[in-house]
Amino acid sequence: MQSSRPPFRHFLPGALALACLLIGLFGGFAYSRIAYAAGPAISKATRSPAGYVVTSDHVTIQFDVTAGSSGQVLYTTNNWSSSATVAATKIGTDGGNDVLQVSMPTEATSTWVQYAVNATNAGSTSWWTDSDPNDDNNNEMYVVERQATHRVYQLFVRTYGATGSGKSNTGTFNAITVTDINNIKGLGFDTIWLTGVMQQETNSGFGAKGSAGSPYAIVDNWNVSSDLGTMNDFTALVQRIHSAGLKVMIDFVGNHTAREYHSTNAGSNAFSNNNYVWVHSDGSLGNDGSGSLAWGNDSHVFPCGTNDWTDTAMLDYHGNNADSTNASSTYAKENQLVAFWQGKGVDGFRADFAHGIPSDFWSYLIANSHARNANVYWIAEAYDNDCYVNGGTWRTGSHINALFAAGFDGVYDKGNYDQVRNILTQNWWANGITAHRNSDINGYGRGAQYLVEFTSNHDEVQAASNEYWGGGNNCSGTVDCNNMLYTKPPTATALLEGSNILMYNGHEVGEPANGSDDFNGNDGKTSIFEYVNMPQMTAFRNGSLDNRSLALRGYYGRLVNLAAQSAFSSGEDFYEDVSSENTSLGDDFNHWLYLFTRANGSNHYIVIANYDRTAAKTYTVHLSSNGWQKLGVANNSTSYTFTDRLNTQDENGNAITPYVITTTGTQLWQNGLTFTIPANTAFVLQ
């Protein structure tokens, strides 16, 4: 067991008797680990399905206990609005253990189910610590399907509206006009993630990075950055975005603050010394304000071997700071912070470094945010293979499954980003996309359908950078270079594979981020630490963007608008990996081609991508009978026409005739689909 606190923390008055029972079993809110008497060990506890469930799902919980034990599951719905137990049934044996299984009742949409496993043997009792031991409670949670999917445009305010380098030319809230917002809407996005909203650290004495400071080293999370304008300017921008029919997202940075933290609006909700992790002189850790502040990724806390977040201080989610009934706890203060920004009109939050924070905190925070706005949207920046998840001496973070179970609507799919980028830069094979889906994504259950797909964000290189995506090509370094064209196929496959998608400002116009504009040097990124602009974005906004870049923007507009179609935007659509069914076509096919289908009702598509930069490909592929049925193709002489909806202009913006395939259903079912696709091209056939 990881904690002596009760397994369910968020009490309502009607649960008082049960709360007392649990406290009797577990003790109070103490730091020490509980010492259990000998009892039946519980192991191999699993839930099926994993991740999200829907109202029609038959949820089963299975676990092993020592021989002779009996078991049950104690569960509550919607944060103690009800509670009950379900008896377990023995279904077999596993070595010397009994295998017990529980069938959970179906629940309505929007229901949150928390549960803990209980087994008894000769009067002894043991509770199972949930399947993700990296959180800090003794319960598991699942959420019945309730979230929408979103197409998110990340707008870094400081650079998006900038007119040149230097603080006097920085972007502001007021610089983002109705025209800008409508241009983003026209691209097909429904949400604008305003990045860098809160007051960042600018004092080099406290480790500020660059001339402007990191937007993730926040001095005052209850106020906006003075570089960008006033709170009134911010709320006016929110209103402009809402008036255009779009939603507003901002960052929630829960893992850390700037080392120089002070808030003008927080009042008693401001963080105090006891809300932080402190490193004592003997190397031990605490939240007593004694010693030195741990950095946001301090190696004293996590064995990651990195300690470069020298401008940040780590917040504590342990012991008393995890008691949401205590107004001075980190839990309670963060909840009030989210309420504050929701009150300013914010519709959603992108949780920075979400995997570095225990999932039971996210369960608490997200549930409370939904109580204020049922449609609030949460996405998590999280990576399962990060050392912050897999080890640590003080607290560890949350696996992706735990984040989905805690209520996140989407979680970053960094594995897919790495795969599609490295096909271009490291000569990886396109069939690695299938391998990623099979090895990584399948482990997330239904949550896999809500991973956030991207080929750009502020942490990654700009897609058109000639140092990275372009590799060793003959790009001259000017803004009108072929690098921005090479990222079209991977962006298409990535954004059309997922139901939640994200694009970073500048990607759509081929922003190359070439040259050294960053204290990190020429890293292929538009700096988030300096007062700089994006020349391509500046050119677009003032009407001087070249035709090739305008054509690229038109391509991405068609792509994102296609992603809005129900076949791609529905989390419960049909998906078939055509590539994996045609591996016998040989190495050239497996190296360069990736194909899949997606369908929702009568809305259906075949996506074909050729990653080879130089050679066209001609192949005949076979789909399963189920695939043809989902695509509405009958096995008869009916004629079917498939038309590419993505490539309707050439690289200079001139109209072209889209690629078309016309054939019969009999031909498709019996002989397959024959196509020819040019080099460096993606088709979206409807």
Side-chain angles (χ1 to χ4, degrees):
M1 297 294 178
Q2 293 211 341
S3 171
S4 59
R5 294 197 308 281
F8 304 104
R9 174 176 299 108
H10 316 133
F11 302 109
L12 294 178
L16 182 59
L18 186 53
C20 292
L21 169 64
L22 294 177
I23 293 174
L25 286 171
F26 287 94
F29 294 87
Y31 270 82
S32 61
R33 294 171 183 252
I34 192 166
Y36 287 95
I42 302 177
S43 61
K44 299 183 180 178
T46 60
R47 173 172 61 80
S48 178
Y52 282 116
V53 303
V54 296
T55 52
S56 60
D57 279 333
H58 180 68
V59 179
T60 60
I61 299 169
Q62 185 171 308
F63 52 99
D64 289 11
V65 298
T66 51
S69 298
S70 61
Q72 63 182 5
V73 170
L74 168 67
Y75 72 96
T76 73
T77 58
N78 291 331
N79 211 19
W80 291 103
S81 63
S82 63
S83 62
T85 58
V86 181
T89 302
K90 179 179 175 179
I91 61 171
T93 58
D94 181 10
N97 295 334
D98 290 335
V99 181
L100 303 183
Q101 189 178 81
V102 167
S103 296
M104 300 290 284
T106 59
E107 304 287 354
T109 299
S110 301
T111 303
W112 297 63
V113 181
Q114 287 176 283
Y115 65 90
V117 177
N118 167 268
T120 59
N121 187 347
S124 299
T125 300
S126 175
W127 288 81
W128 164 57
T129 300
D130 60 3
S131 59
D132 185 353
N134 293 311
D135 67 15
D136 201 27
N137 63 11
N138 297 307
N139 72 91
E140 182 61 286
M141 172 178 282
Y142 61 87
V143 184
V144 180
E145 182 66 65
R146 48 130 192 91
Q147 88 288 357
T149 59
H150 286 285
R151 299 173 304 283
V152 180
Y153 184 86
Q154 183 184 2
L155 190 157
F156 189 57
V157 180
R158 188 196 300 161
T159 57
Y160 178 89
T163 56
S165 297
K167 188 173 182 178
S168 62
N169 295 313
T170 194
T172 64
F173 298 129
N174 289 337
I176 302 169
T177 65
V178 171
T179 298
D180 291 318
I181 296 165
N182 285 332
N183 283 334
I184 294 168
K185 180 179 181 178
L187 286 171
F189 295 98
D190 59 29
T191 301
I192 297 178
W193 164 17
L194 297 173
T195 305
V197 165
M198 300 173 195
Q199 181 60 58
Q200 80 280 8
E201 179 63 82
T202 58
N203 188 336
S204 60
F206 286 91
K209 296 183 176 183
S211 60
S214 169
Y216 295 97
I218 298 174
V219 171
D220 187 355
N221 48 12
W222 289 71
N223 209 346
V224 298
S225 169
S226 57
D227 289 337
L228 309 181
T230 66
M231 185 65 77
N232 286 340
D233 295 333
F234 171 76
T235 55
L237 173 57
V238 170
Q239 182 57 52
R240 290 197 295 277
I241 295 172
H242 284 167
S243 294
L246 304 182
K247 295 183 180 297
V248 176
M249 173 181 288
I250 66 171
D251 286 286
F252 174 82
V253 185
N255 180 73
H256 52 268
T257 69
R259 299 181 71 79
E260 178 198 14
Y261 174 84
H262 53 80
S263 177
T264 57
N265 294 328
S268 60
N269 291 308
F271 296 126
S272 66
N273 284 346
N274 292 340
N275 294 121
Y276 289 92
V277 177
W278 292 80
V279 183
H280 301 152
S281 59
D282 62 359
S284 63
L285 302 165
N287 59 11
D288 54 7
S290 173
S292 59
L293 282 168
W295 293 325
N297 63 344
D298 196 297
S299 57
H300 286 91
V301 181
F302 295 119
C304 295
T306 59
N307 53 13
D308 65 333
W309 293 10
T310 53
D311 53 348
T312 65
M314 178 180 287
L315 288 165
D316 177 53
Y317 292 89
H318 189 274
N320 291 334
N321 274 319
D323 177 8
S324 61
T325 64
N326 175 5
S328 297
S329 69
T330 310
Y331 268 52
K333 290 179 178 180
E334 294 283 38
N335 180 46
Q336 292 301 314
L337 176 64
V338 170
F340 171 80
W341 287 105
Q342 286 185 280
K344 298 297 181 183
V346 171
D347 304 291
F349 299 87
R350 176 265 189 187
D352 183 69
F353 201 67
H355 57 293
I357 299 173
S359 60
D360 56 333
F361 166 72
W362 294 120
S363 299
Y364 160 78
L365 188 71
I366 296 174
N368 276 277
S369 71
H370 276 280
R372 291 183 288 266
N373 175 7
N375 296 316
V376 65
Y377 175 66
W378 285 86
I379 64 172
E381 179 211 15
Y383 317 109
D384 254 356
N385 60 351
D386 199 307
C387 56
Y388 300 98
V389 173
N390 298 318
T393 56
W394 179 253
R395 61 171 176 81
T396 53
S398 302
H399 289 282
I400 287 176
N401 266 336
L403 294 172
F404 276 124
F408 276 98
D409 298 281
V411 181
Y412 275 26
D413 188 6
K414 180 62 158 58
N416 195 60
Y417 167 85
D418 290 338
Q419 175 61 43
V420 298
R421 176 185 164 190
N422 286 333
I423 294 172
L424 296 184
T425 62
Q426 304 296 325
N427 200 33
W428 287 16
W429 284 31
N431 64 5
I433 302 174
T434 294
H436 165 63
R437 295 188 68 87
N438 290 340
S439 63
D440 295 339
I441 294 181
N442 285 352
Y444 303 140
R446 183 171 280 109
Q449 295 163 281
Y450 300 100
L451 290 168
V452 179
E453 303 298 346
F454 60 90
T455 49
S456 57
N457 65 59
H458 69 274
D459 284 320
E460 309 297 348
V461 297
Q462 283 280 15
S465 167
N466 64 5
E467 297 296 324
Y468 289 84
W469 287 84
N473 64 63
N474 58 5
C475 173
S476 66
T478 64
V479 295
D480 185 28
C481 67
N482 287 329
N483 290 5
M484 65 185 185
L485 305 179
Y486 290 145
T487 58
K488 290 164 69 176
T491 303
T493 59
L495 298 194
L496 295 178
E497 277 188 300
S499 299
N500 285 302
I501 66 172
L502 166 66
M503 184 180 287
Y504 190 45
N505 53 198
H507 183 126
E508 73 273 27
V509 291
E511 186 65 45
N514 294 329
S516 179
D517 68 356
D518 197 333
F519 82 106
N520 282 341
N522 185 11
D523 59 2
K525 304 176 184 179
T526 299
S527 177
I528 64 170
F529 306 115
E530 309 288 351
Y531 294 107
V532 299
N533 73 319
M534 294 179 289
Q536 287 282 87
M537 185 58 68
T538 300
F540 171 72
R541 295 179 73 239
N542 65 25
S544 62
L545 191 65
D546 63 283
N547 286 338
R548 291 184 71 196
S549 299
L550 285 171
L552 183 74
R553 187 178 184 279
Y555 173 90
Y556 284 125
R558 293 190 295 276
L559 175 59
V560 177
N561 276 286
L562 281 167
Q565 300 301 305
S566 63
F568 301 111
S569 62
S570 168
E572 302 297 324
D573 59 4
F574 171 76
Y575 180 98
E576 181 170 327
D577 183 343
V578 179
S579 295
S580 66
E581 299 167 346
N582 291 271
T583 56
S584 61
L585 291 174
D587 285 353
D588 181 70
F589 177 87
N590 295 322
H591 191 168
W592 297 116
L593 273 292
Y594 189 64
L595 295 81
F596 59 92
T597 64
R598 292 190 72 173
N600 183 273
S602 61
N603 190 243
H604 32 66
Y605 297 86
I606 302 174
V607 178
I608 305 174
N610 178 10
Y611 280 81
D612 192 329
R613 295 181 181 180
T614 60
K617 308 292 180 184
T618 298
Y619 283 102
T620 298
V621 296
H622 292 269
L623 276 68
S624 69
S625 58
N626 185 44
W628 288 124
Q629 289 171 353
K630 291 292 186 181
L631 292 174
V633 175
N635 188 6
N636 57 33
S637 61
T638 302
S639 179
Y640 294 93
T641 298
F642 296 86
T643 304
D644 176 29
R645 302 302 184 189
L646 184 56
N647 301 280
T648 60
Q649 293 180 325
D650 66 16
E651 295 174 2
N652 295 306
N654 300 309
I656 60 174
T657 301
Y659 183 75
V660 174
I661 300 173
T662 300
T663 186
T664 66
T666 302
Q667 173 71 24
L668 293 170
W669 277 71
Q670 296 181 6
N671 300 319
L673 175 72
T674 300
F675 63 88
T676 298
I677 185 169
N680 192 57
T681 298
F683 287 153
V684 183
L685 301 177
Q686 184 184 29

